[in-house]
Amino acid sequence: MKTALPMSLLALIISVGDGVAAELKPDAINAASIASIKTEKRSSEDPDPAIVRLQVLLDRAGASPGVIDGLTGENVNKAVAGFEAMNKLPIDGRPDPDVVSRLEEGAQIPIVESYVVSADDAKDLVDRIPEDYGEKAKMQSLGYTSVAEKLSERFHMGIDLLNALNPASQFAPGDTVWVVNPGPPRKGKVKRIEADRKTGQVLAYAEDGALLAVYPATIGSEDNPAPSGKHKVKGVARMPVYRYDPKRNFKQGKNDKVLTIPKGPNGPVGTVWIDLTEPTYGIHGTPEPKLIDKVGSHGCVRLTNWDVEELAGMVKPGVLVDFVDRSSAAPK
């Protein structure tokens, strides 16, 4: 059974109560009620405790909201719709009582927990990440630029949310900070992947047709569209070195020669490259997780680093990858 998520969700914005955000404190997030969340055509620029809670619970359930930032938006709506599809509920992208009760069933673990910054967290950092590929190629690695950036990705958080929860912290080794707990990576064996260009999602299915996981994704762009039809996974490369070839791929800046760009989470394809049988195309990570499904890619399928790492742990060579354009919520 193929479950497509409705395009009407893209017009929805999830908000809380009367739109006034509660104070962002760990206790407020842990005690927040996602039953108070409503869908309206408005949003707030301030992280809301109930939205943080909703995003974390969705992430734990395998319906990724992308970056956990406490903000409303399309990726939250799509994650709710993904959770509904996984649980065979009517798909409308709204956190109704059925969705709320099922999400809260496994919510005994606090949403926000304390974490002690370790010495390892401060290792392998770089001063900056240049925009130009020629400058990137001169670097030894494309690591994180700060402890805060490293922790934000480890815990699937937007760096602004991490800073908001820890306004006085320098994130130095030994500091105790507040982070969200998105739970362990999803487990299972993926038989088939759908990359839905209409909804901007990757859906991972088990051999029995069950929907294992749903991820927000950037899938090509108008200038560099993703491939069509069915392809297969060739293999998985973790912490890949990126080979830039302007004749085969795209032109970046004034770089007209082949370049080898070093590995690292801030590399052009992030921490994982899932190679496809279609030459030069893959499913990969990103140095800018907050831009997933916000800006186009150069034809590939782009996920957050943590989402592609999770997906990579569930695929093997031969897994089918089907590029589709669906706009109906009806199972097919």
Side-chain angles (χ1 to χ4, degrees):
M1 178 182 291
K2 298 178 180 179
T3 306
L5 306 184
M7 284 297 292
S8 59
L9 295 179
L10 304 188
L12 295 174
I13 296 294
I14 292 175
S15 64
V16 179
D18 61 1
V20 178
E23 186 178 8
L24 192 69
K25 297 289 186 180
D27 288 347
I29 294 171
N30 286 332
S33 170
I34 61 174
S36 67
I37 296 173
K38 302 175 182 179
T39 48
E40 301 176 359
K41 292 185 178 180
R42 62 180 178 176
S43 62
S44 169
E45 295 181 357
D46 298 316
D48 192 283
I51 299 296
V52 175
R53 184 178 184 85
L54 175 64
Q55 290 174 315
V56 171
L57 293 178
L58 287 166
D59 205 351
R60 291 179 184 177
S64 172
V67 174
I68 295 169
D69 55 11
L71 304 177
T72 62
E74 293 175 4
N75 286 344
V76 179
N77 300 332
K78 292 189 294 187
V80 173
F83 179 81
E84 291 169 328
M86 294 168 72
N87 288 272
K88 297 180 173 56
L89 297 172
I91 302 172
D92 62 8
R94 301 171 186 270
D96 55 36
D98 265 351
V99 170
V100 170
S101 64
R102 295 198 188 203
L103 282 172
E104 291 287 6
E105 282 175 3
Q108 290 80 16
I109 300 172
I111 300 298
V112 178
E113 297 182 324
S114 63
Y115 174 81
V116 179
V117 180
S118 72
D120 285 344
D121 292 329
K123 291 180 179 178
D124 302 319
L125 303 178
V126 298
D127 292 334
R128 67 183 186 93
I129 303 293
E131 292 290 332
D132 185 76
Y133 275 22
E135 294 300 313
K136 281 181 168 71
K138 297 175 183 177
M139 299 180 68
Q140 293 296 312
S141 70
L142 293 170
Y144 294 113
T145 57
S146 67
V147 172
E149 185 188 17
K150 182 183 285 190
L151 295 183
S152 69
E153 290 219 1
R154 181 182 304 167
F155 296 104
H156 307 183
M157 301 172 70
I159 196 165
D160 289 342
L161 176 61
L162 181 67
N163 287 328
L165 282 170
N166 303 281
S169 179
Q170 298 298 311
F171 298 99
D175 285 358
T176 298
V177 297
W178 294 108
V179 297
V180 303
N181 181 354
R186 199 80 167 157
K187 301 294 183 183
K189 293 183 179 180
V190 172
K191 179 69 174 180
R192 177 173 57 86
I193 294 169
E194 280 190 355
D196 191 334
R197 288 173 293 212
K198 283 284 188 182
T199 59
Q201 287 180 300
V202 164
L203 297 89
Y205 292 89
E207 190 165 5
D208 63 0
L211 186 55
L212 283 175
V214 181
Y215 308 104
T218 297
I219 306 174
S221 63
E222 189 173 323
D223 294 334
N224 297 279
S228 299
K230 294 176 171 60
H231 308 275
K232 291 185 177 181
V233 171
K234 284 182 65 178
V236 174
R238 290 174 171 80
M239 283 298 176
V241 169
Y242 182 73
R243 186 175 185 272
Y244 166 75
D245 186 341
K247 293 182 179 179
R248 295 191 68 195
N249 306 118
F250 59 93
K251 185 80 182 308
Q252 195 276 333
K254 297 181 179 180
N255 295 297
D256 55 8
K257 296 180 180 179
V258 174
L259 298 171
T260 299
I261 298 177
K263 64 183 180 180
N266 274 315
V269 295
T271 58
V272 172
W273 172 267
I274 300 176
D275 198 29
L276 303 183
T277 49
E278 180 72 8
T280 76
Y281 289 95
I283 303 172
H284 62 80
T286 178
E288 294 286 353
K290 67 181 180 181
L291 298 183
I292 290 297
D293 203 25
K294 302 291 192 301
V295 298
S297 72
H298 295 290
C300 290
V301 179
R302 183 189 298 151
L303 308 178
T304 65
N305 282 335
W306 54 87
D307 283 345
V308 76
E309 288 165 11
E310 179 179 274
L311 180 61
M314 298 190 290
V315 303
K316 291 184 178 180
V319 167
L320 178 69
V321 180
D322 192 5
F323 287 83
V324 300
D325 294 277
R326 303 195 189 284
S327 59
S328 170
K332 297 183 179 181

